[in-house]
């Protein structure tokens, strides 16, 4: 348990008198003595002027908010080089914290990245961890150790708000009209308010804890894989299609809701249905409620934005805010959400005691199934920055994404080129709150807390595995070398998934960050070395150096 209250002396005294450190500080002191001391001296040097408020904040265990954007690419924010739009709130987060140039999500699609972020396990190890369909049941077994269960055990109030996409319920399909169980509440969250899958997948309803919100029992919700009856309007029907408010380009032509064709079929639950335009407001409202309700306790909040996943249909007040069309407007909406969260922390005087991690679930895509102008109105915007590929791809653009940590008064502002990944958050956040990892837990999650806090000389990952949606395609980066392995490469219709010219590709990211020159033939020894390492990670079932087997 993390004690919720403890009194501590001023920071200048804390540095000299270890025995009277407040709880979090004294625990970290025993875990990482040299780096912690260094970071304290750095913090003292930089933040000495407001050491008193820092001290007040340090008396309590830090709150933690992980903000995960959806389909946000490396080049999509102004702090990462975008010039065609502005993201002042996320830029402020970056300017006041650590901005990573080599921050990654673990996969280039949603479900596997989210699975790994929660469990600390690479998704290729988990059968069925590809993009979850509308009627997916719970992918993460109750009892699995997750970042949420670790925080809960450490005495935190835990919540998830926004896109889930990891399945709900059990059996053949979720019980949409009954209890949606198991779900987040069975793997460590105290509270959830969710978009069950994606905004382009049915059903278009909110789920709060175990129930669909506002469901009228006289209008039951049905979700299925087949057209329920021949009168059910479909987005593929030319007459219906002509009335859509946003046309589809591929897929997304089954049940129509809010003038938009979706993936999958659903009927009923009319009173429970949301409007796409209102989703971001709902996430902010429920998150602010959660923060306010837990302002006197340590809390962990996973803010899982649906922006900028398709269909990109931002609130009317954001429509037209950029010249990039709804894709750009959705980025501005995401930025607004971040600003609402950070200003709530300031209003409640929690900003100096809250670690905010900002990341994405996969790289960018322009046409992901709707004709929303993302291609036509791109101008000079480069969603992946200088990197090759995007969503669905194991080139850098698929997984190297914005990654920011902020904790005013504790994290020294700066840029970091250390390698970190969303799969590292369970082990890192557990270390922050001194929660030991149980045997068998989080097999691929490395404790990167010192790197995330910007501790001078702290080292990031020496290697990193990257995956697209599912295996067997995988990439492994070791230092600056990266191998891409496509055992069953096939062209993927419609997708930005780029098939390499051969079975393997090898790049040196230091010389060739855009992965344009495959040097596999020139460096057969390096290729063999990396492939052997990749094989070893696959076979071992874990890659965390201090991982221990379950009893
Ligand atoms: C694909 C969808 C795409 C998107 C993706 C999941 C089609 C043709 N494409 O199958 O639109 O929903 O799944 O995206 O249906 S993710 O970010 O949640 O992984
Ligand atoms: Ca995504």
């Amino acid at each position: 348990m993390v004690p919720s209250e403890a009194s501590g002396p001023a920071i200048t005294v804390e540095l000299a008198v270890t025995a009277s450190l407040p709880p979090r500080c004294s625990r970290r002191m025993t875990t990482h003595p040299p780096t912690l001391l260094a970071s304290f001296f750095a913090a003292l040097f930089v933040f000495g002027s407001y050491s008193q408020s820092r001290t007040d904040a340090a008396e309590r265990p830090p709150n933690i908010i992980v903000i995960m954007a959806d389909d946000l690419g490396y080049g999509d924010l102004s702090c990462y080089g975008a010039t065609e739009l502005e993201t002042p709130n996320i830029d402020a987060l970056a300017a006041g914290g650590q901005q990573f140039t080599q921050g990654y999500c673990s996969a280039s699609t949603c479900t596997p990245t989210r699975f790994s972020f929660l469990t600390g396990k690479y998704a290729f190890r988990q059968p069925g961890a590809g993009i979850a369909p509308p009627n997916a049941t719970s992918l993460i077994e109750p009892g699995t150790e997750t970042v949420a269960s670790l925080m809960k055990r450490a005495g935190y109030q835990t919540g998830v708000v926004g896109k889930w996409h990891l399945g709900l319920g059990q059996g053949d399909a979720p019980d949409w009209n009954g209890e949606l169980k198991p779900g987040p509440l069975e793997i460590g969250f105290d509270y959830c308010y969710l978009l069950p899958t994606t905004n382009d997948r049915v059903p278009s309803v909110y789920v709060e804890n175990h129930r669909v919100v506002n469901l009228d029992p006289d209008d039951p919700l049905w979700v299925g894989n087949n057209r329920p009856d021949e009168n059910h309007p479909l987005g593929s029907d030319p007459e219906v299609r002509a009335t859509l408010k946003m046309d589809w380009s591929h897929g997304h032509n089954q049940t129509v809701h809010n003038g938009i064709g979706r993936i999958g079929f659903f009927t009923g639950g009319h009173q429970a249905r949301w409007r796409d335009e209102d989703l971001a407001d709902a996430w902010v409202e429920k998150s602010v409620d959660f923060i306010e309700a837990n302002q006197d306790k340590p809390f962990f909040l996973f803010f899982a934005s649906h922006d900028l996943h398709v269909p990109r249909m931002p609130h009317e007040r954001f429509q037209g805010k950029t010249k990039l069309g709804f894709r750009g407007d959705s980025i501005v909406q995401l930025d607004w959400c971040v600003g609402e969260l950070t200003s709530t922390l300031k209003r409640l005087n929690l900003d100096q005691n809250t670690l905010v991690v900002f990341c994405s679930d996969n790289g960018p895509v322009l046409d992901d199934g709707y004709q929303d102008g993302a291609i036509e109105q791109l101008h000079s915007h480069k969603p992946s920055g200088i990197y090759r590929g995007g969503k669905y791809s194991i080139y850098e653009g698929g997984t190297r994404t914005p990654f920011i940590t902020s904790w005013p008064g504790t994290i020294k502002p700066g840029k970091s080129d250390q390698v970190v990944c969303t799969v590292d958050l369970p082990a890192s956040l557990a270390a922050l709150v001194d929660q030991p990892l149980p045997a068998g837990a989080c097999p691929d999650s490395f404790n990167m807390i010192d790197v995330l806090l910007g501790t001078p000389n702290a080292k990031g990952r020496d290697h990193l595995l990257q995956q697209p949606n599912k295996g067997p395609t995988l990439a492994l980066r070791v230092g600056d070398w990266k191998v891409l392995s496509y055992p069953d490469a096939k062209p993927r219709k419609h997708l930005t998934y780029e098939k390499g010219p051969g079975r393997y590709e090898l790049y040196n990211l230091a010389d060739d960050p855009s992965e344009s020159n495959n040097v596999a033939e020139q460096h057969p020894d390096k290729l063999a070395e990396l492939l052997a390492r990749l094989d070893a990670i696959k076979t071992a079932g874990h890659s965390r150096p201090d991982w221990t087997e379950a009893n």
Side-chain angles (χ1 to χ4, degrees):
M1 280 287 285
V2 171
S4 56
E5 285 301 324
S7 59
I11 194 165
T12 44
V13 181
E14 291 166 16
L15 285 165
V17 188
T18 311
S20 58
L21 285 169
R24 176 176 54 77
C25 304
S26 59
R27 281 196 310 276
R28 282 187 39 74
M29 182 64 92
T30 49
T31 324
H32 310 285
T35 48
L36 183 74
L37 204 60
S39 63
F40 264 148
F41 277 114
L44 183 67
F45 180 70
V46 177
F47 299 108
S49 57
Y50 55 100
S51 63
Q52 186 53 51
S53 58
R54 167 70 187 83
T55 304
D56 295 343
E59 288 172 7
R60 298 198 310 246
N63 307 306
I64 299 164
I65 302 182
V66 176
I67 303 171
M68 187 175 275
D70 198 346
D71 300 1
L72 181 78
Y74 190 90
D76 273 329
L77 302 173
S78 32
C79 54
Y80 278 90
T83 53
E84 303 275 7
L85 49 68
E86 282 179 16
T87 49
N89 294 302
I90 304 173
D91 294 359
L93 204 65
Q98 287 284 308
Q99 179 177 353
F100 290 87
T101 60
Q102 307 205 70
Y104 289 84
C105 44
S106 56
S108 59
T109 53
C110 166
T111 302
T113 284
R114 286 158 204 262
F115 171 84
S116 300
F117 154 59
L118 289 175
T119 63
K121 176 165 139 180
Y122 285 140
F124 79 88
R125 301 193 194 284
Q126 178 77 17
I131 297 170
N135 258 337
T137 53
S138 212
L139 177 62
I140 305 176
E141 291 266 311
T144 306
E145 213 60 68
T146 66
V147 65
S149 66
L150 291 163
M151 293 301 119
K152 191 170 161 68
R153 197 162 325 116
Y156 279 61
Q157 293 296 306
T158 52
V160 49
V161 174
K163 173 173 169 177
W164 183 239
H165 210 191
L166 290 161
L168 291 169
Q170 56 193 352
D172 294 336
D175 181 4
W176 295 108
N177 299 287
E179 277 208 309
L180 292 165
K181 199 173 165 180
L185 270 51
E186 284 64 45
I187 55 168
F189 287 100
D190 295 311
Y191 175 74
C192 68
Y193 193 87
L194 307 174
L195 167 63
T197 55
T198 58
N199 44 330
D200 59 349
R201 281 173 179 71
V202 301
S204 311
V205 296
Y206 297 112
V207 168
E208 186 167 35
N209 297 328
H210 289 136
R211 297 267 171 191
V212 170
V213 178
N214 217 13
L215 186 62
D216 174 2
D218 294 333
D219 181 25
L221 183 59
W222 172 87
V223 178
N225 300 326
N226 298 306
R227 191 180 193 183
D229 64 76
E230 60 187 25
N231 297 320
H232 184 82
L234 296 184
S236 55
D237 175 340
E239 277 177 31
V240 176
R241 190 172 185 187
T243 67
L244 296 176
K245 75 173 163 193
M246 180 184 281
D247 201 359
W248 48 270
S249 55
H250 53 271
H252 307 99
N253 54 13
Q254 298 175 329
T255 292
V256 174
H257 164 66
N258 193 25
I260 298 173
R262 314 275 166 172
I263 300 173
F265 303 88
F266 81 122
T267 60
H270 288 87
Q271 195 179 282
R273 298 183 182 198
W274 41 246
R275 272 186 354 133
D276 303 71
E277 293 86 339
D278 299 327
L279 291 172
D281 283 341
W283 313 145
V284 166
E285 184 192 323
K286 295 298 169 184
S287 297
V288 170
D289 287 353
F290 177 84
I291 295 170
E292 283 178 348
N294 295 298
Q295 58 183 296
D296 297 325
K297 307 164 191 158
F299 63 80
F300 169 78
L301 172 65
F302 173 26
F303 182 89
S305 172
H306 73 298
D307 282 319
L308 37 153
H309 197 279
V310 296
R312 301 174 188 120
M313 186 54 65
H315 191 271
E316 286 83 351
R317 68 186 187 279
F318 296 111
Q319 295 182 10
K321 284 288 171 206
T322 69
K323 59 180 177 188
L324 303 183
F326 283 180
R327 186 173 187 279
D329 300 345
S330 298
I331 298 176
V332 168
Q333 177 168 274
L334 168 71
D335 185 68
W336 171 81
C337 294
V338 173
E340 290 301 297
L341 296 178
T342 51
S343 65
T344 300
L345 293 175
K346 283 199 188 93
R347 171 169 61 82
L348 299 174
N349 206 17
L350 296 173
D351 54 319
Q352 300 247 331
N353 194 36
T354 304
L355 166 64
V356 177
V357 180
F358 179 90
C359 55
S360 178
D361 71 337
N362 52 251
V365 55
L366 294 177
D367 179 351
D368 207 12
Y370 293 95
Q371 300 181 37
D372 63 4
I375 294 175
E376 298 79 358
Q377 297 176 64
L378 189 60
H379 298 275
S380 67
H381 185 67
K382 294 194 170 48
S384 303
I386 62 161
Y387 300 109
R388 181 173 176 182
K391 184 172 181 176
Y392 311 109
S393 154
I394 50 170
Y395 292 116
E396 291 291 283
T399 52
R400 196 192 285 213
T401 36
F403 202 116
I404 298 162
T405 56
S406 161
W407 182 355
T410 295
I411 294 183
K412 182 183 171 190
K415 283 208 176 178
S416 171
D417 57 8
Q418 297 299 314
V419 175
V420 290
C421 180
T422 48
V423 72
D424 297 326
L425 289 169
S428 305
L429 299 180
L432 178 68
V433 302
D434 253 8
Q435 187 60 46
L437 292 175
C442 307
D444 299 299
S445 186
F446 291 13
N447 173 8
M448 289 285 137
I449 191 62
D450 288 331
V451 178
L452 297 175
L453 297 184
T455 308
N457 304 319
K459 288 270 166 277
R461 282 180 159 265
D462 65 338
H463 73 278
L464 175 73
L465 185 137
Q466 291 151 275
Q467 73 167 90
N469 184 27
K470 322 185 223 202
T473 294
L474 291 171
L476 181 70
R477 178 180 172 176
V478 180
D480 287 328
W481 289 98
K482 176 171 168 187
V483 68
L484 288 73
S485 160
Y486 297 95
D488 76 341
K490 336 179 182 53
R492 302 286 206 267
K493 212 176 149 195
H494 305 307
L495 305 183
T496 57
Y497 190 113
E498 297 174 57
K499 176 189 167 309
R503 191 177 154 85
Y504 303 115
E505 293 170 46
L506 183 73
Y507 299 98
N508 186 312
L509 296 174
D511 304 338
D512 181 19
S514 308
E515 296 163 288
S516 52
N517 184 21
N518 175 10
V519 293
E521 278 182 21
Q522 291 93 307
H523 296 277
D525 293 349
K526 198 40 96 179
L527 178 68
E529 181 194 321
L530 262 68
L531 286 173
R533 185 110 183 242
L534 178 59
D535 239 27
I537 292 171
K538 280 159 67 177
T539 320
H542 59 91
S543 57
R544 175 156 62 82
D546 54 344
W547 183 88
T548 52
E549 205 168 340
N551 295 320

